[in-house]
Amino acid sequence: MRERDHFAVARKALSGYAAAGRFGWGHPLVATSLAAELGLSPTPVREALAHLAGEGIVEHRPGRGYFAPSPTAADIVGLYELHEQFLRWSSRPVVIVEWPAGDDPTDEILQIEAVFDHLAGQGKNSAVVEAYRRVSARLRPIRRIEALLQNTGLDIVLEIERISTKGRPDELGEALLAYHESRYAASQSLEAVMRQSA
């Protein structure tokens, strides 16, 4: 396997670990340990960690190394505010989501992300779409914890999808606000659970 392939393997694996919430809140990410677990040398793992830090998926603390995210309640609210705003900027009538091969259509978190990804992907501004994708990636482990604490909000998201197909911007805005307000309200509980995972 070429060195570049090792980087791709490490990046995909570590991104998946972060998305699944496997790393504890603020937990140090030791490249040598992760490399041993993945059966790789530490170099591509360090490169993957640096790449993920650039995307905001993990945190880089100069002189100390890489760490799992440690978002505060205010950070969580900020991410959801960005998420909502990106969806508003991008929203216009959409078509119903087709499930990508390999995704589990029964996983509520993936269903939510598929609807929002499709809605955001309708935007013409590629910078907004890219920024949305980064925020969405940072929200995935938070959504996994939300599912443990409260209703995932899939019912509201499916309603957002239905409204978006009809091209009613005011109604869509109200539905997006309803979804995100319930997330804002849970931010302190989410932070507490994430801190306990450390």
Side-chain angles (χ1 to χ4, degrees), residues 11-196:
R11 186 179 138 319
K12 182 177 180 181
L14 297 177
S15 181
Y17 292 169
R22 179 176 164 204
F23 303 132
W25 190 89
H27 189 267
L29 304 176
V30 180
T32 53
S33 299
L34 292 167
E37 181 178 339
L38 296 171
L40 300 171
S41 71
T43 300
V45 172
R46 283 188 194 98
E47 290 174 352
L49 287 169
H51 180 84
L52 294 174
E55 292 183 347
I57 306 296
V58 300
E59 295 175 3
H60 179 245
R61 300 178 191 164
R64 297 191 57 215
Y66 295 97
F67 294 81
S70 51
T72 64
D75 294 334
I76 293 167
V77 168
L79 286 169
Y80 270 119
E81 286 173 342
L82 283 170
H83 186 263
E84 178 185 3
Q85 191 58 53
F86 290 144
L87 290 170
R88 287 176 183 272
W89 285 333
S90 299
S91 61
R92 65 180 191 174
V94 298
V95 297
I96 302 301
V97 171
E98 295 287 329
W99 290 105
D103 280 353
D104 177 4
T106 62
D107 183 329
E108 288 190 7
I109 304 302
L110 293 179
Q111 289 180 40
I112 288 168
E113 289 178 357
V115 170
F116 285 146
D117 288 353
H118 194 76
L119 186 61
Q122 300 298 309
K124 294 179 181 176
N125 185 328
S126 62
V128 170
V129 172
E130 179 58 30
Y132 161 80
R133 287 192 175 128
R134 287 177 183 237
V135 167
S136 187
R138 291 177 65 189
L139 282 171
R140 183 175 277 184
I142 295 168
R143 284 192 179 110
R144 293 269 174 217
I145 294 182
E146 276 180 340
L148 301 173
L149 296 179
Q150 64 182 18
N151 181 311
T152 61
L154 180 60
D155 53 337
I156 298 172
V157 173
L158 293 176
E159 180 65 11
I160 289 168
E161 179 183 44
R162 186 190 66 73
I163 293 166
S164 71
T165 63
K166 297 186 177 188
R168 298 180 185 158
D170 292 342
E171 198 176 334
L172 180 60
E174 290 172 15
L176 285 169
L177 182 61
Y179 173 81
H180 287 89
E181 281 184 337
S182 67
R183 270 64 227 154
Y184 304 153
S187 63
Q188 291 188 351
S189 299
L190 287 166
E191 178 188 355
V193 170
M194 291 176 84
R195 281 182 183 271
Q196 289 174 354

